[in-house]
mmCIF file of all heavy atoms in Angstrom:
data_model
loop_
_atom_site.group_PDB
_atom_site.id
_atom_site.type_symbol
_atom_site.label_atom_id
_atom_site.label_comp_id
_atom_site.label_asym_id
_atom_site.label_seq_id
_atom_site.Cartn_x
_atom_site.Cartn_y
_atom_site.Cartn_z
ATOM 1 N N ALA A 16 114.514 16.970 137.858
ATOM 2 C CA ALA A 16 115.647 17.780 138.321
ATOM 3 C C ALA A 16 115.617 19.206 137.789
ATOM 4 O O ALA A 16 116.357 20.052 138.263
ATOM 5 C CB ALA A 16 116.961 17.113 137.907
ATOM 6 N N VAL A 32 110.569 14.933 122.461
ATOM 7 C CA VAL A 32 110.182 16.314 122.115
ATOM 8 C C VAL A 32 111.401 17.229 122.201
ATOM 9 O O VAL A 32 112.027 17.333 123.261
ATOM 10 C CB VAL A 32 109.079 16.822 123.078
ATOM 11 C CG1 VAL A 32 108.635 18.233 122.699
ATOM 12 C CG2 VAL A 32 107.903 15.865 123.106
ATOM 13 N N LYS A 71 129.095 30.815 110.192
ATOM 14 C CA LYS A 71 129.561 31.145 111.541
ATOM 15 C C LYS A 71 130.397 29.989 112.106
ATOM 16 O O LYS A 71 131.464 30.194 112.680
ATOM 17 C CB LYS A 71 128.326 31.376 112.425
ATOM 18 C CG LYS A 71 128.616 32.051 113.757
ATOM 19 C CD LYS A 71 127.412 31.919 114.671
ATOM 20 C CE LYS A 71 126.469 33.071 114.655
ATOM 21 N NZ LYS A 71 126.802 34.152 115.563
ATOM 22 N N ALA A 98 141.379 13.005 125.826
ATOM 23 C CA ALA A 98 142.016 14.084 125.061
ATOM 24 C C ALA A 98 140.975 15.174 124.755
ATOM 25 O O ALA A 98 141.252 16.372 124.874
ATOM 26 C CB ALA A 98 142.597 13.529 123.765
ATOM 27 N N ASP A 110 139.317 32.623 126.510
ATOM 28 C CA ASP A 110 138.083 33.413 126.512
ATOM 29 C C ASP A 110 138.333 34.691 127.304
ATOM 30 O O ASP A 110 138.479 34.651 128.532
ATOM 31 C CB ASP A 110 136.955 32.568 127.144
ATOM 32 C CG ASP A 110 135.599 33.228 127.008
ATOM 33 O OD1 ASP A 110 135.517 34.466 127.125
ATOM 34 O OD2 ASP A 110 134.614 32.502 126.802
ATOM 35 N N SER A 193 125.122 12.999 131.536
ATOM 36 C CA SER A 193 126.067 14.048 131.111
ATOM 37 C C SER A 193 125.412 15.431 131.144
ATOM 38 O O SER A 193 126.053 16.418 131.525
ATOM 39 C CB SER A 193 126.600 13.749 129.704
ATOM 40 O OG SER A 193 125.531 13.430 128.837
ATOM 41 N N LEU A 252 124.591 -15.227 131.664
ATOM 42 C CA LEU A 252 124.806 -16.239 132.703
ATOM 43 C C LEU A 252 125.713 -15.700 133.803
ATOM 44 O O LEU A 252 125.513 -15.959 134.987
ATOM 45 C CB LEU A 252 125.447 -17.474 132.052
ATOM 46 C CG LEU A 252 124.977 -18.837 132.534
ATOM 47 C CD1 LEU A 252 123.489 -19.016 132.286
ATOM 48 C CD2 LEU A 252 125.767 -19.943 131.809
ATOM 49 N N ILE A 257 124.700 -6.203 129.230
ATOM 50 C CA ILE A 257 124.999 -6.247 127.792
ATOM 51 C C ILE A 257 124.937 -4.818 127.265
ATOM 52 O O ILE A 257 123.881 -4.168 127.309
ATOM 53 C CB ILE A 257 123.983 -7.129 127.025
ATOM 54 C CG1 ILE A 257 123.807 -8.492 127.715
ATOM 55 C CG2 ILE A 257 124.401 -7.267 125.571
ATOM 56 C CD1 ILE A 257 125.015 -9.384 127.714
#
Side-chain angles (χ1 to χ4, degrees):
V32 182
K71 194 194 265 274
D110 188 322
S193 48
L252 219 61
I257 311 294

